[in-house]
Amino acid sequence: MRSRGSFSLLALSLVVFSLSTTAAYSAKLSPNFYDKTCPGALATIKSAVDAELMRQQRMGASLLRLFFHDCFVQTCDGSNLLDPAPNIDSEKNAIPNAFSVRGYDVIDRIRLELDKTCGGPVVSCADIVAVAARDSVVALGGPSWEVQLGRRDSLNGNSTLADINLPSPFMNLTQLIANFKNQGLDIQDLVALSGGHTIGLTHCGFFQNRIYNETSATIDPAFASLRKEHCPPTASLAAFAELAPLDSTPRQFDTNYFSNLVQKKGLLDSDQALYRGGVTDRLVKRYSTNREAFFKDFARSMVKMGNFKPLTGNEGQVRNNCRKVNP
């Protein structure tokens, strides 16, 4: 006969097992996460993104970059949306974000539209950024993918980690591979996700050194001359503010980014590093002529990046305002 203590231990074990099973289940992301709590969520985000891109097509690249810069710091947790505050280490102050990230106001507007649709703050800011990135790529002619949902928003940012983790436009291939590996991403992910530079613009200061100091062995001379027309050799805030397209068709999600690399027309050092006699040359060459392969791998890598150590379940919160933590 079992003692009362044995039954108590058995009951406690069952409770612990039940709680751990529930926690494990709740920690999983799912494409259907909001189907019951806000079935119109995804349609609302898509409509808002499409409207923004009608006003300014360049915003598509900005929303994609916003997601990338979010995921590379801590996790995809909306931490880079937090404004500076006495108790908030805002990532907006980090050098890689201060000069290249925009679209915060768009996320704010999507948050307001979603709250109308859902009857309140149901969808996390982190999920808004993830879906907006996907919808931006689709709107500009790129692939679609099933976004895994259920992320929670962080309670703080980390500007130091943003400075350390976000890849620099001046990195070489060895540095890029190590940088992506720290985020659970491999060489194929590195090349495929770098293809996001097929849309958007960047500042003169990020490629100034490349067009003026590199030899014709590493950059096409005619391409360098073209970029010099709007990017002077002298360093100044005015010169830095000048913008240039990251590839020859910056408003269309296509394979021209890779074709440009093969022709030594990569704008950033970190772009051309992918096609300079290293282990990534083969993938660059493949993507430059195989749209289907690039689109498939880009979509896969976006899902993989978005699923890396997310906050879920009871972690973090769903922010009422994406710029600040709930009181």
Side-chain angles (χ1 to χ4, degrees):
M1 179 180 293
R2 292 181 179 174
S3 67
R4 183 176 299 174
S6 297
F7 279 110
S8 297
L9 287 173
L10 177 60
L12 178 61
S13 298
L14 289 172
V15 170
V16 171
F17 176 77
S18 176
L19 289 174
S20 63
T21 302
T22 301
Y25 179 79
S26 65
K28 292 181 180 179
L29 300 179
S30 166
N32 307 313
F33 190 82
Y34 299 109
D35 281 5
K36 292 183 179 179
T37 55
C38 187
L42 296 185
T44 298
I45 297 175
K46 182 183 185 305
S47 177
V49 168
D50 288 346
E52 291 293 340
L53 267 60
M54 285 291 289
R55 283 191 282 269
Q56 183 182 182
Q57 236 179 356
R58 182 188 164 201
M59 186 53 68
S62 298
L63 292 174
L64 175 59
R65 183 176 293 132
L66 193 63
F67 180 56
F68 187 92
H69 280 226
D70 183 27
C71 293
F72 263 59
V73 183
Q74 301 180 151
T75 180
C76 308
D77 59 1
S79 59
N80 64 343
L81 304 176
L82 289 167
D83 281 342
N87 60 339
I88 295 295
D89 181 17
S90 177
E91 293 166 24
K92 292 180 179 180
N93 293 329
I95 293 173
N97 289 328
F99 294 103
S100 67
V101 176
R102 56 200 287 271
Y104 303 114
D105 55 331
V106 175
I107 301 301
D108 291 340
R109 288 194 284 274
I110 296 175
R111 161 93 282 163
L112 291 174
E113 289 301 314
L114 275 173
D115 289 353
K116 294 176 187 175
T117 299
C118 306
V122 173
V123 182
S124 69
C125 299
D127 277 347
I128 293 173
V129 174
V131 177
R134 189 272 310 274
D135 291 346
S136 294
V137 168
V138 172
L140 294 176
S144 184
W145 58 91
E146 197 171 55
V147 179
Q148 300 294 308
L149 302 167
R151 297 170 191 80
R152 302 272 287 181
D153 299 323
S154 66
L155 303 177
N156 210 332
N158 193 324
S159 61
T160 300
L161 204 59
D163 283 327
I164 295 172
N165 282 10
L166 289 168
S168 161
F170 310 109
M171 281 183 171
N172 61 35
L173 182 58
T174 300
Q175 293 169 325
L176 287 168
I177 291 173
N179 179 271
F180 274 65
K181 185 178 180 181
N182 288 338
Q183 306 303 320
L185 301 169
D186 58 29
I187 290 176
Q188 181 170 292
D189 299 317
L190 162 63
V191 180
L193 291 172
S194 294
H197 278 182
T198 186
I199 53 176
L201 312 172
T202 193
H203 293 279
C204 167
F206 292 140
F207 60 87
Q208 200 171 44
N209 186 68
R210 173 161 163 72
I211 61 175
Y212 282 100
N213 297 325
E214 295 218 18
T215 66
S216 57
T218 57
I219 188 170
D220 177 75
F223 173 71
S225 296
L226 178 65
R227 294 281 71 89
K228 287 176 183 178
E229 291 179 9
H230 300 286
C231 185
T234 54
S236 67
L237 287 177
F240 186 88
E242 291 288 338
L243 295 168
L246 284 161
D247 88 348
S248 52
T249 52
R251 296 182 179 182
Q252 182 69 30
F253 199 97
D254 53 29
T255 61
N256 281 351
Y257 167 79
F258 298 105
S259 300
N260 291 165
L261 297 187
V262 172
Q263 298 167 31
K264 300 180 184 178
K265 296 179 181 179
L267 188 61
L268 304 176
D269 287 321
S270 57
D271 288 329
Q272 195 60 55
L274 300 178
Y275 194 81
R276 195 175 278 179
V279 295
T280 52
D281 280 16
R282 177 185 60 82
L283 278 169
V284 170
K285 192 77 180 228
R286 182 179 185 226
Y287 293 156
S288 71
T289 59
N290 192 328
R291 176 179 177 270
E292 182 180 354
F294 167 46
F295 278 22
K296 179 182 177 181
D297 289 351
F298 180 83
R300 183 194 65 83
S301 293
M302 285 293 287
V303 172
K304 184 177 176 180
M305 179 176 69
N307 293 0
F308 187 62
K309 299 180 179 178
L311 298 181
T312 58
N314 294 322
E315 299 174 302
Q317 62 183 203
V318 174
R319 288 192 221 124
N320 301 328
N321 181 332
C322 292
R323 292 177 180 264
K324 59 185 181 181
V325 174
N326 299 343

